Amino acid sequence: MIDFTQQQARINWRISNDDVMGGESQGNILFERDYGVFTGNISLANNGGFSAAFTAVQPLSQEVRAVTIDIAGDGNRYQLRIITYDNGESTYYFHEFNTVTGQRQKLRFALADFQATFRGRQIANAPTLKAEVVGEVGFLLTTKEAGEFSLSVFAIDFINA
């Protein structure tokens, strides 16, 4: 579980912006008293248009079947991202979700419903996401519209149900 009231949940976040490909988007994760805020500005300059924030996850039990997020959004469509590490290989999985401006939402996603992706393209023959290989979790905003974004994250929890 990632609970932002705990200091441990505030460390080891990393940002990945489109500047890795020449873009100019800027993202960051800020911490309020009991939640994190994934925030920044999406730029379309130099074929840009994305920002992501990730953190490591403690090893999960193979009984874990779903992930829940407690968030408040800005009206953008985000991706919940999971990175797996298995035998030295990493695979990125995603599940999209819509936010409602200023509205707090608690959302649940079955791990089996996540789609594997590589550089924005779905991988049709990838294995189903399994809890025991989850290494990182985070959020991605990719859009064709420039502008500021803000996603408040209160908790991320991996559950057996």
Side-chain angles (χ1 to χ4, degrees):
M1 177 166 171
I2 298 172
D3 174 359
F4 288 95
T5 63
Q6 305 297 314
Q7 186 62 31
Q8 185 65 27
R10 298 171 176 247
I11 60 175
N12 298 326
W13 280 85
R14 68 179 176 83
I15 301 295
S16 178
N17 293 315
D18 56 22
D19 59 348
V20 299
M21 299 166 34
E24 296 179 9
S25 297
Q26 297 177 349
N28 200 357
I29 186 139
L30 308 172
F31 300 102
E32 299 295 334
R33 195 179 90 225
D34 60 351
Y35 63 98
V37 182
F38 173 42
T39 186
N41 186 55
I42 296 296
S43 170
L44 303 181
N46 299 326
N47 295 315
F50 75 85
S51 183
F54 293 95
T55 190
V57 172
Q58 294 295 321
L60 301 174
S61 163
Q62 63 183 343
E63 283 82 35
V64 168
R65 296 287 182 259
V67 59
T68 62
I69 57 174
D70 183 357
I71 53 99
D74 57 6
N76 281 311
R77 183 175 182 84
Y78 288 85
Q79 291 181 10
L80 178 61
R81 289 289 199 129
I82 293 178
I83 304 172
T84 64
Y85 300 107
D86 191 18
N87 295 322
E89 298 289 324
S90 62
T91 305
Y92 287 70
Y93 289 82
F94 76 96
H95 199 297
E96 292 184 314
F97 63 94
N98 292 315
T99 63
V100 179
T101 304
Q103 181 178 329
R104 191 160 171 178
Q105 299 170 278
K106 293 182 181 180
L107 306 172
R108 180 189 176 283
F109 306 106
L111 295 184
D113 292 338
F114 278 72
Q115 298 293 312
T117 184
F118 180 74
R119 294 186 178 161
R121 291 182 173 82
Q122 290 188 20
I123 303 171
N125 61 348
T128 300
L129 177 58
K130 301 281 187 208
E132 59 270 21
V133 294
V134 170
E136 294 183 56
V137 64
F139 298 93
L140 171 87
L141 176 62
T142 181
T143 180
K144 303 274 190 235
E145 294 182 24
E148 294 182 359
F149 66 91
S150 180
L151 178 69
S152 296
V153 182
F154 299 91
I156 304 169
D157 196 14
F158 290 91
I159 59 174
N160 295 348

